[in-house]
Amino acid sequence: MAGQTPSNLIEEISDHPEFIVEYEPVRKKENKREKFKNSRFCLFVYGSDMTWMVEAMASGCVPVVITDRPLQDLPLMDVVDWSEMAVFVGVKGGVKGLKRVLDGIEKSRYERLVESGVAATQHLVWNAEPQAHDAFHMVVYQLWLRQHTEGDGGGDGGGFIMDLEATMWSIWKTQVPTTDR
């Protein structure tokens, strides 16, 4: 399908009876969570509003990220293996290709995706006060890893500050939910 874009794919999916596409935001958070709980897969266009991806994972809905470019800025990419909790698809195959990919996911892999997604959400939540293994600690851990695997072990720390800014931006861009636990 020449010239296929994520927008075209979403439009094509809208006409398919096996997919429910909502363009209007759900007003109440509880309604959105209920929709996630009742869905096996939740589609997200990479680069657009992906703020609900963590909520989807927490509800047991496997994120399906539509993209035709390399992923470089999902939160905590150095720490979290996103391929273990989400499915990444291109737009070239259209609805048939998307359906083929989703139908091809075996039950055991699907269960692992759900389990990993639910477990990973604790690492993607900002708490009012940092708690063990939450987003704050994962950001610090990711920066520590980068400093010890990519850094030169010295210098003025400029690389550390740039890594801190990039990491914080990737978290904030997806607007990870905050909790007051």
Side-chain angles (χ1 to χ4, degrees), residues 12-76:
E12 188 180 341
I13 289 171
S14 298
D15 296 332
H16 198 281
E18 292 185 48
F19 292 94
I20 299 170
V21 176
E22 292 187 12
Y23 292 103
E24 295 298 316
V26 177
R27 299 282 180 228
K28 293 185 179 176
K29 203 174 195 176
E30 296 78 27
N31 291 344
K32 191 143 204 153
R33 283 189 183 139
E34 196 60 37
K35 288 183 184 282
F36 287 148
K37 285 181 183 178
N38 293 325
S39 300
R40 290 186 53 179
F41 297 103
C42 297
L43 301 175
F44 296 92
V45 176
Y46 180 67
S48 67
D49 182 11
M50 295 177 66
T51 57
W52 286 96
M53 194 160 81
V54 175
E55 289 286 337
M57 291 182 342
S59 299
C61 188
V62 175
V64 177
V65 181
I66 302 170
T67 183
D68 275 333
R69 60 188 176 114
L71 301 173
Q72 300 175 346
D73 58 354
L74 287 173
L76 306 173

Side-chain angles (χ1 to χ4, degrees), residues 140-181:
V140 171
Y141 178 61
Q142 177 169 294
L143 293 173
W144 181 87
L145 280 176
R146 285 185 184 180
Q147 191 67 15
H148 288 81
T149 59
E150 298 171 8
D152 60 5
D156 63 3
F160 179 80
I161 298 301
M162 289 175 60
D163 282 348
L164 175 63
E165 290 175 1
T167 301
M168 297 305 285
W169 175 247
S170 74
I171 296 272
W172 285 326
K173 190 170 73 176
T174 56
Q175 298 176 12
V176 176
T178 303
T179 182
D180 294 324
R181 287 186 235 170

